[in-house]
Amino acid sequence: MTGRRFLPVRLPMYDWPEVKAETLRLERALQGALCAVLDLDPSGFRERPENAELVEVWTDPDLLLTQTCGYPLTHALAGRVRLLGAPHYSAPGCDGVTYCSQLVVFAESSHRCLEDLRGRRAVYNGADSQSGMNAFRHAVAGLRGRDGGGSENENRFFSDVVASGSHLGSMRAVAAQEADVACIDAVCWWLACREVPDLTARLRPIGRTASVPGLPLITSLRFTDREADLIANTIDAVLTGPETQESRERLGIRGFSKLDVGDYTGLLSMEREAAGLGYPVLA
């Protein structure tokens, strides 16, 4: 692979300022191990393009390793990246390679279940998020289905739905009572409870969504099957080895599983089920 200048290894999906140092240590461990097994020049990496959109970075032909979300994997990135697998997390709501989302409300509110939020204001992180939008839509669709359908206005569940741009933004909106409910990735909720407890003290979980495989690790389609398998085996070794134990414990990582795209069909089933119940858009 002489002459190839890859993008540095990045794990951006849970890279909060509070755990930045541990994330960087893990990224460096992964990059160093991959340089060794793929015979890459450790000084031969280039920086990601400034102001590049995430999809642009994810589909860069010189991508070595990064983390994305399952919803883009099955939509905008379908057929454009190579899936390697996903880490295991120790957060409540995670089981092996799977995870769910926590439905959270203001701690002092009277809401006890999702049904109580009918006609209230919801917030979500972004339209391409599995944990913040697709799982949320699926959870609400089950309640909407009890109504037997109707007009578009009748099929609304919430009075208003707004995007925050991030799970932390959604939590802050609910904590400030600017919204009534949010759907938060189980790992983000766990991190927030540990790292920003003043925020989570103002919030309260009232339920969980269905589970699916967690945030996938991907690489470029340029790699052969043999090389991709080597990359996946190296990730497994780094994410289970003693050298990274301290960083992994801080980040809640305790393993890795190889996966293929077929393992993520549950996300598409959620989308289809919601549409089949007359609820194709979170509303």
Side-chain angles (χ1 to χ4, degrees), residues 124-170:
Y124 67 104
N125 56 332
D128 62 349
S129 171
Q130 161 58 27
S131 55
M133 187 284 294
N134 194 38
F136 201 3
R137 175 175 59 186
H138 180 259
V140 174
L143 302 177
R144 289 295 309 119
R146 299 173 191 173
D147 297 338
S151 69
E152 181 179 352
N153 187 58
E154 289 170 341
N155 277 332
R156 292 191 66 87
F157 184 83
F158 299 110
S159 62
D160 191 19
V161 176
V162 295
S164 68
S166 69
H167 280 301
L168 269 175
S170 296

Side-chain angles (χ1 to χ4, degrees), residues 88-94 96 187 190 194 248-249 251-254:
H88 301 183
Y89 286 92
S90 58
C94 298
V187 180
W190 174 80
R194 286 188 50 166
R248 289 187 291 107
E249 286 180 354
L251 299 171
I253 298 174
R254 60 181 181 187

Side-chain angles (χ1 to χ4, degrees), residues 82-250:
R82 184 183 286 273
L83 171 65
L84 299 165
H88 301 183
Y89 286 92
S90 58
C94 298
D95 183 9
V97 77
T98 67
Y99 81 139
C100 67
S101 297
Q102 300 276 4
L103 298 161
V104 302
V105 298
F106 183 61
E108 298 177 14
S109 76
S110 62
H111 308 306
R112 292 292 178 267
C113 63
L114 187 56
E115 179 75 51
D116 294 343
L117 276 301
R118 189 183 298 271
R120 310 299 292 186
R121 194 178 204 217
V123 61
Y124 67 104
N125 56 332
D128 62 349
S129 171
Q130 161 58 27
S131 55
M133 187 284 294
N134 194 38
F136 201 3
R137 175 175 59 186
H138 180 259
V140 174
L143 302 177
R144 289 295 309 119
R146 299 173 191 173
D147 297 338
S151 69
E152 181 179 352
N153 187 58
E154 289 170 341
N155 277 332
R156 292 191 66 87
F157 184 83
F158 299 110
S159 62
D160 191 19
V161 176
V162 295
S164 68
S166 69
H167 280 301
L168 269 175
S170 296
M171 285 187 272
R172 288 172 179 144
V174 176
Q177 300 185 73
E178 296 168 355
D180 298 290
V181 61
C183 192
I184 306 299
D185 175 326
V187 180
C188 284
W189 176 250
W190 174 80
L191 279 171
C193 289
R194 286 188 50 166
E195 306 298 336
V196 282
D198 290 348
L199 172 62
T200 56
R202 302 198 299 275
L203 303 170
R204 173 170 48 85
I206 59 168
R208 294 178 179 178
T209 68
S211 294
V212 295
L215 273 61
L217 297 177
I218 58 172
T219 191
S220 171
L221 288 176
R222 280 194 176 186
F223 288 105
T224 66
D225 290 345
R226 185 193 68 80
E227 290 168 338
D229 195 52
L230 185 59
I231 293 171
N233 288 338
T234 303
I235 295 169
D236 189 14
V238 172
L239 295 189
T240 57
E243 297 84 0
T244 60
Q245 183 174 351
E246 183 176 344
S247 295
R248 289 187 291 107
E249 286 180 354
R250 181 72 185 276

